[in-house]
Amino acid sequence: MTRSPFFAAVISLLLATLAVAEIKSITISDDSRPLILLQTFGFTQTGHVTISVLYSSSQDSSRTGFYLVEQESVLLVDIELQQNSSFCVLDSHYVHHFDQSYQVTSPGYYSLFFANCAPGTKVSMKFKTEMYNLDPNGSKDYLPAGSTQLPGLLFVFSLCYLTFFGLWVYLCYNKKQMIHILVAALLIMKSLSLICGAEVKHYVKTTGTPHGWNIPFYVFQFLGNVLLFMVIVLVGTGWSFLKPKIRGKEKTLLAMVIPFEVVSTIASVVIGETGPYVQNWLIWTYIIFFAEVSCWVAMRLVIVWWMCSLRKTSRKTVKNLGTSPFFGKFYNLVFVYLLFTRVAIGVFMLNETADYKYQWESNVAGEIASLAFYALMCYYMFRPIERNGFSDVEDEKEEEELLQIFDLEEDQV
């Protein structure tokens, strides 16, 4: 149990961008945990923490209380607890124990804990926490140091996607296919989610709460993720270019993606609207990981099935489609995008723990990668032109043969 706060603090750092408020009302009911991680926050030299206790069942304030600890010292506190099981963390010289408020004088990335040093005692509490830095003009900034740039950056990226959307509509106006309409919907959903995300960060920065902007943010984020998987799967299997309708396996896959995205969105809401103080909070982080991985694995499987189907066609068709450099580029593009945004960004954020003031760089890197992915996918690969990599079927015989293969595969399902 003494190690879990350290790992919870690390996970909380990785998921800090999902948090939607830095003024939190927290309720703890009959909780016997010795340590409860409440929040993490990046402070400047003008940082403040304020706790207003509305109700507490604890009678011994010397054995229970709040403390603040720098991220670098969390592991050292864990070592102290491991060496002496009866040691009370409130007595550690690595922590800052306080009752109602604390002024941070040393900049750093801190974790706020509640400690219960009375074994077997259950505590019930209701309190409100405020964590903020003071700007040079004296106003409160409720975003952690390292995230204060996010409102403006997210708004700029939303304008980029709006520009993409306008150009896409212009290019596709007279030559559109169904897949082009889906791509347009994907671009507008991505832009709207970024606009709402910028508003969430703006209001959290100035007031500490999102003022309801978190609700449309979750909605547009969910729709954008579903559309992204739909576009990748449908384009990757030749729909709208080669196949006139969605077939059984694609329908099954799309029916799987939506529930996984619903689960992922619910987990994001729980993580963003609560915090690590909720029991079994870490399970929700694993649920997000499982849902995202499941969607991407299913997407890759259906693309592999498509490539195997192509190999059953004539040599000429395989030459035109099955080994098409265009299709290989698309498959590699999706793989690199997944690898960078799901793995590399997480590793980058872990490396940024020591220099918390530049955590915004991970958000910028992720959005730039997404912009590059959308630009390549939309304007280089799938813009409406007379011929592209998916329209190299040169005669009706090839197309008929290809559709027969799909019909045969459909009958085998």
Side-chain angles (χ1 to χ4, degrees):
M1 294 181 64
T2 55
R3 290 189 180 185
S4 60
F6 171 70
F7 292 106
V10 174
I11 296 294
S12 181
L13 171 64
L14 287 175
L15 299 174
T17 55
L18 294 177
V20 296
E22 294 304 338
I23 296 180
K24 290 185 177 291
S25 295
I26 300 174
T27 300
I28 298 174
S29 301
D30 294 329
D31 202 317
S32 60
R33 286 177 291 174
L35 294 177
I36 302 175
L37 174 62
L38 302 176
Q39 287 178 264
T40 57
F41 196 86
F43 288 104
T44 65
Q45 66 274 14
T46 60
H48 289 75
V49 182
T50 302
I51 297 178
S52 302
V53 179
L54 305 177
Y55 165 78
S56 176
S57 64
S58 175
Q59 301 297 327
D60 187 358
S61 59
S62 64
R63 304 296 292 173
T64 61
F66 302 95
Y67 71 88
L68 206 63
V69 58
E70 255 191 293
Q71 192 74 23
E72 298 172 352
S73 301
V74 172
L75 185 58
L76 298 177
V77 174
D78 264 354
I79 293 174
E80 287 183 326
L81 293 172
Q82 291 288 335
Q83 292 175 345
N84 185 0
S85 58
S86 61
F87 178 74
C88 182
V89 68
L90 298 176
D91 299 327
S92 173
H93 64 278
Y94 294 113
V95 308
H96 307 283
H97 179 210
F98 65 97
D99 293 325
Q100 294 182 340
S101 64
Y102 182 79
Q103 181 175 349
V104 178
T105 57
S106 176
Y109 202 87
Y110 287 79
S111 298
L112 176 64
F113 284 88
F114 174 78
N116 179 7
C117 294
T121 302
K122 294 183 178 181
V123 176
S124 296
M125 294 185 69
K126 186 176 182 180
F127 55 93
K128 184 176 75 171
T129 64
E130 292 188 35
M131 307 177 78
Y132 58 88
N133 297 305
L134 292 178
D135 289 335
N137 59 7
S139 60
K140 296 179 180 179
D141 185 348
Y142 289 96
L143 283 181
S147 298
T148 57
Q149 302 89 343
L150 286 181
L153 289 172
L154 293 177
F155 183 72
V156 169
F157 281 114
S158 70
L159 293 180
C160 293
Y161 282 100
L162 279 177
T163 303
F164 274 19
F165 172 74
L167 291 174
W168 185 253
V169 171
Y170 173 77
L171 290 173
C172 301
Y173 186 74
N174 294 321
K175 305 175 183 178
K176 61 180 177 295
Q177 298 185 39
M178 285 301 300
I179 195 66
H180 296 141
I181 297 176
L182 283 179
V183 171
L186 172 61
L187 291 173
I188 197 66
M189 287 299 109
K190 181 68 175 177
S191 177
L192 289 173
S193 68
L194 285 172
I195 290 174
C196 293
E199 290 298 316
V200 167
K201 294 299 182 182
H202 167 72
Y203 279 105
V204 170
K205 177 183 174 70
T206 55
T207 67
T209 57
H211 286 247
W213 281 96
N214 52 326
I215 297 175
F217 168 73
Y218 290 128
V219 172
F220 291 130
Q221 185 183 58
F222 165 72
L223 294 176
N225 288 339
V226 171
L227 283 171
L228 176 61
F229 281 107
M230 287 180 63
V231 168
I232 290 176
V233 169
L234 294 177
V235 167
T237 55
W239 176 77
S240 188
F241 292 100
L242 294 176
K243 293 185 288 184
K245 62 179 181 179
I246 303 176
R247 295 175 180 267
K249 288 189 177 180
E250 288 94 334
K251 289 181 180 179
T252 302
L253 178 63
L254 295 176
M256 292 171 54
V257 166
I258 294 178
F260 278 126
E261 282 301 324
V262 169
V263 171
S264 179
T265 300
I266 292 174
S268 298
V269 171
V270 172
I271 290 174
E273 299 295 331
T274 60
Y277 55 88
V278 176
Q279 295 195 45
N280 301 320
W281 182 80
L282 286 176
I283 293 178
W284 290 102
T285 65
Y286 304 145
I287 290 175
I288 289 182
F289 176 78
F290 173 77
E292 291 291 324
V293 170
S294 298
C295 287
W296 284 104
V297 168
M299 176 269 299
R300 293 189 65 183
L301 287 176
V302 80
I303 294 180
V304 169
W305 163 78
W306 153 260
M307 297 177 69
C308 292
S309 298
L310 290 178
R311 293 191 182 100
K312 297 180 181 180
T313 63
S314 66
R315 181 175 299 179
K316 183 178 180 181
T317 307
V318 171
K319 182 179 180 181
N320 286 338
L321 291 170
T323 58
S324 169
F326 174 86
F327 189 83
K329 289 178 182 178
F330 172 72
Y331 186 81
N332 291 333
L333 176 64
V334 171
F335 177 76
V336 171
Y337 174 72
L338 165 64
L339 184 66
F340 184 80
T341 57
R342 298 303 192 273
V343 179
I345 294 298
V347 174
F348 179 79
M349 290 185 69
L350 276 177
N351 292 335
E352 288 296 302
T353 304
D355 202 352
Y356 66 98
K357 290 183 291 185
Y358 300 101
Q359 288 178 15
W360 60 271
E361 292 180 351
S362 62
N363 297 87
V364 172
E367 292 302 333
I368 290 176
S370 296
L371 273 175
F373 175 75
Y374 282 87
L376 288 172
M377 185 177 69
C378 296
Y379 296 102
Y380 176 66
M381 293 186 171
F382 304 126
R383 67 187 188 277
I385 55 178
E386 294 300 324
R387 299 178 61 80
N388 58 33
F390 276 116
S391 59
D392 285 340
V393 183
E394 297 181 354
D395 53 51
E396 296 181 358
K397 183 177 179 181
E398 285 187 30
E399 184 174 355
E400 182 179 352
E401 179 185 359
L402 190 61
L403 292 177
Q404 287 176 354
I405 292 295
F406 295 140
D407 290 334
L408 180 60
E409 291 289 329
E410 186 73 18
D411 294 337
Q412 294 175 354
V413 177

